[in-house]
Amino acid sequence: MTAPHPRHRRALAIPAGLAVAASLAFLPGTPAAAAPAAEAAPSTAADATSLSYVVNVAAGHRPSATLRRAIAKAGGTIVTSYDRIGVIVVHSANPDFAKTVRKVRGVQSAGATRTAPLPSAATTDTGAPQVLGGKDLAAAKAAAEAAGDQDPLESLQWDLPAIKADKAHEKSLGSKKVTVAVIDTGVDDTHPDIAPNFDRQASVNCVAGKPDTTDGAWRPSAAESPHGTHVAGEIAAAKNGVGMTGVAPGVKVAGIKVSNPDGFFYTEAVVCGFMWAAEHGVDVTNNSYYTDPWYFNCKDDPDQKALVEAVSRASRYAEKKGAVNVAAAGNENYDLASDEITDPSSPNDTTPGDRTVDPSKCLDIPTQLPGVVTVAATGAKGLKSSFSNYGRGIIDIAAPGGDSTAYQTPAPPATSGLILGTLPGGKWGYMAGTSMASPHVAGVAALIKSTHPHASAATVKALLYAEADATACTDPYDIDGDGKVDAVCEGPKNRNGFYGWGMADALDAVTW
C-alpha cells in the first residue's frame, strides 16, 4: 500500500532550501502508526481481501428485509446504516459486489470506497514533527510581555492581524455555546491550549465508518499525524496565558477522527463524521482533507458516483441541522475552474496513475460539494499562497494558510511565513497549506455564530461572505519572481478566482 501524498490533508511542508524557518515546519502526510485498540482493524481471513462499500437508497427508512437479503446474497455484511440519509456501509470480499447490488430494486447507487483491501495490520510512521523552541520561543515570550495582553506565542502569529482577529478579541472571544468540529486525524484534548475549550460530547472516532465513543478515541496515537491537533489550535486555542491564541479562543472545539492508521480519509468515515456533527449540535465543521482514494471523483464512474452521493447527502444533512461546512481548496496550484486537470495521484491507496479529468464533472469532495465553503490560502503578504488551488466560481473566500518565507516574509517579530498551531503532547509548531486557511475561516464563522446565535447556516455563510474584505486579483501573479506567470486570476475585486469574496474578517464578525 502506498502512503498518502503529503498534500493529502491540504497541508504543505516548505522545502528546506526555500524557507529560513523550514526547521520549524514539518511534513504532515507521512503514513501513520498502529491504531489504538478502539479502532483496531478486522483480523479475519475474509476481511484481509474485503473492500468497504457504500450503498445509497431512499432516505428515511431502515434497509428493507429484501434489501438486506440481497446484500447478503451478494456477499456483503452491513456494518452500519445511516437511515436519515439512506447510506448503508457494507464490507464484502466479492469483487462484483457493487455491480451486483446496483441491480437490486431500490438501490440508487453503490460503490467501493477504496481500491486497497481492508487492512489486517497498520503501518508505522517514522516521521516526527519539529517543534517551536530556542530563540524563537524566547523572543516570542519577550514580545508578548512587551505587548501586555497577549499569549506568549501570539507575536509569532502574523495570521491573526491579517484577518483582524487581534482586534476582534478586544470585543469578543466567541461563545462557549458554539462548537466547531475538526473532522480530521484526531485532536489531543489534553493539550493545555485545547483542554479549556474541548467539547467531549461532540467528539468521536469515526474511522470504522460508525461511531466509537470510547473515551479518548478521538485522539491521534503517538505516531499518527498531528494535523488535526494543529487545526484545532488554530481555531480555538484558549487565550489563557499559555502558548498561542486561536481565531475564536472562546468557542468550543471537538475532535471527530476520520483518518485511519495509514492516513486515509475514506468515504464511510467522512459520512460518519458529518452525521455525528449533525446530531451533536455542531455549529461549524472544518474539513482540511480530500476523501480518498480519488482526488477527483468522476460521476461517470459508478463507484465514484456513489462516493459523491454519499458524502453529499451527509454534508447536506449536517448543514440542514445547522452546521456550516468549511473546506480547504487544495495545494496543487490547480485552476479548479479550468476545462481539464491532470490528476497523477489517484487512486492513492494502491497504484496511482495520470488521468485527465474535467473538474466540473469530477469533484474534489467535500471541497467542491454544493453548500460547502471553499477556502483558498494566502501568505504573509496577503497574496495567494504559491501552492493554493484557485478558480473563479469555486473559491468562496480566502484566509492565511502560509507560504514559503522566501516568497512572503512576515513583519517582525514573526519569523516564519508558515502558520503556528498546537501539536500533541503540549507542544507548538508550524504548518502551511490550505489546511491552515480553512480553520481560520471556520473560526470566523464561529465568531459570527457567537454574535448571531439564532442564525441559520445559510445566514452565517451570507455574513461570512458579506463581511469579507474584497481583494483584487494579483495580476500578474509571479510569486517566485522568475519572470513567469504562475497562475491567472479571473474576476472582479469582490468575487474572483484567487480570493473569492475576499479575505475573511474576524472584526466584522463580532461587530456586524
Side-chain angles (χ1 to χ4, degrees):
M1 181 184 296
T2 58
H5 191 280
R7 70 179 180 231
H8 178 247
R9 280 167 295 282
R10 306 298 192 219
L12 187 73
I14 301 298
L18 295 180
V20 174
S23 62
L24 298 179
F26 52 86
L27 187 67
T30 49
E39 60 179 71
S43 58
T44 65
D47 280 337
T49 57
S50 292
L51 293 180
S52 182
Y53 296 83
V54 286
V55 179
N56 300 316
V57 297
H61 304 282
R62 290 186 176 184
S64 67
T66 300
L67 178 58
R68 288 178 177 273
R69 286 194 295 269
I71 288 173
K73 185 177 180 180
T77 301
I78 294 177
V79 175
T80 193
S81 177
Y82 294 99
D83 301 334
R84 291 180 178 83
I85 60 171
V87 176
I88 307 168
V89 179
V90 179
H91 288 176
S92 178
N94 175 10
D96 292 325
F97 173 79
K99 182 179 179 181
T100 301
V101 82
R102 286 182 200 121
K103 300 175 182 177
V104 176
R105 184 177 180 181
V107 172
Q108 297 174 355
S109 60
T113 68
R114 61 190 73 202
T115 61
L118 291 164
S120 57
T123 60
T124 56
D125 180 16
T126 57
Q130 297 181 10
V131 302
L132 185 67
K135 291 190 298 182
D136 286 322
L137 186 57
K141 290 180 177 179
E145 290 176 3
D149 187 26
Q150 279 194 353
D151 278 344
L153 303 180
E154 189 174 341
S155 63
L156 300 178
Q157 295 180 262
W158 58 264
D159 49 306
L160 294 185
I163 59 170
K164 305 174 195 170
D166 54 339
K167 298 298 183 183
H169 296 165
E170 296 174 5
K171 296 180 177 295
S172 174
L173 302 180
S175 170
K176 294 290 185 186
K177 296 181 179 180
V178 172
T179 294
V180 181
V182 176
I183 302 179
D184 212 298
T185 64
V187 173
D188 178 9
D189 57 299
T190 69
H191 194 290
D193 248 347
I194 294 175
N197 291 336
F198 194 71
D199 187 339
R200 300 172 74 87
Q201 297 303 312
S203 298
V204 73
N205 183 315
C206 271
V207 173
K210 59 182 180 180
D212 174 3
T213 57
T214 305
D215 188 59
W218 52 77
R219 298 173 190 143
S221 68
E224 287 182 299
S225 171
H227 188 270
T229 302
H230 195 282
V231 165
E234 290 177 60
I235 295 168
K239 197 170 182 64
N240 57 353
V242 175
M244 60 176 285
T245 303
V247 172
V251 307
K252 292 289 187 181
V253 65
I256 299 180
K257 186 176 182 180
V258 297
S259 171
N260 79 0
D262 293 310
F264 295 106
F265 293 65
Y266 286 120
T267 294
E268 63 271 26
V270 173
V271 167
C272 171
F274 278 120
M275 295 301 290
W276 180 269
E279 299 295 351
H280 288 82
V282 167
D283 300 287
V284 183
T285 70
N286 186 82
N287 304 271
S288 292
Y289 59 89
Y290 69 83
T291 305
D292 295 299
W294 308 98
Y295 193 124
F296 297 97
N297 293 265
C298 299
K299 297 179 183 179
D300 59 359
D301 178 283
D303 284 285
Q304 294 167 42
K305 174 185 176 182
L307 309 189
V308 173
E309 180 61 29
V311 177
S312 294
R313 293 184 184 191
S315 65
R316 285 199 305 265
Y317 183 75
E319 182 167 358
K320 181 180 178 182
K321 297 287 281 188
V324 175
N325 299 314
V326 181
N331 297 335
E332 285 65 52
N333 196 31
Y334 286 152
D335 180 356
L336 296 175
S338 63
D339 294 332
E340 63 179 39
I341 290 173
T342 299
D343 170 20
S345 61
S346 302
N348 65 356
D349 59 350
T350 48
T351 305
D354 285 356
R355 61 175 186 152
T356 301
V357 301
D358 178 346
S360 69
K361 299 176 181 178
C362 301
L363 304 182
D364 175 350
I365 57 176
T367 295
Q368 288 181 270
L369 293 179
V372 173
V373 178
T374 304
V375 185
T378 57
K381 297 300 183 185
L383 305 177
K384 183 187 88 70
S385 300
S386 57
F387 49 78
S388 180
N389 288 352
Y390 60 100
R392 187 178 184 184
I394 306 297
I395 300 303
D396 293 311
I397 197 166
D403 205 347
S404 165
T405 303
Y407 298 160
Q408 302 193 56
T409 304
T415 57
S416 174
L418 312 187
I419 303 296
L420 187 67
T422 45
L423 300 177
K427 300 174 183 177
W428 295 264
Y430 290 105
M431 278 184 166
T434 55
S435 270
M436 284 59 255
S438 182
H440 283 77
V441 173
V444 173
L447 292 177
I448 292 172
K449 183 67 175 179
S450 298
T451 306
H452 305 279
H454 302 297
S456 66
T459 299
V460 172
K461 288 193 294 181
L463 287 171
L464 183 68
Y465 301 149
E467 293 169 358
D469 293 332
T471 306
C473 278
T474 305
D475 184 24
Y477 179 77
D478 176 16
I479 194 68
D480 56 5
D482 65 355
K484 298 178 181 178
V485 173
D486 296 308
V488 176
C489 180
E490 297 180 334
K493 183 177 182 179
N494 63 348
R495 194 71 167 101
N496 60 60
F498 275 15
Y499 310 108
W501 293 98
M503 181 74 78
D505 189 321
L507 180 57
D508 281 353
V510 300
T511 53
W512 273 37

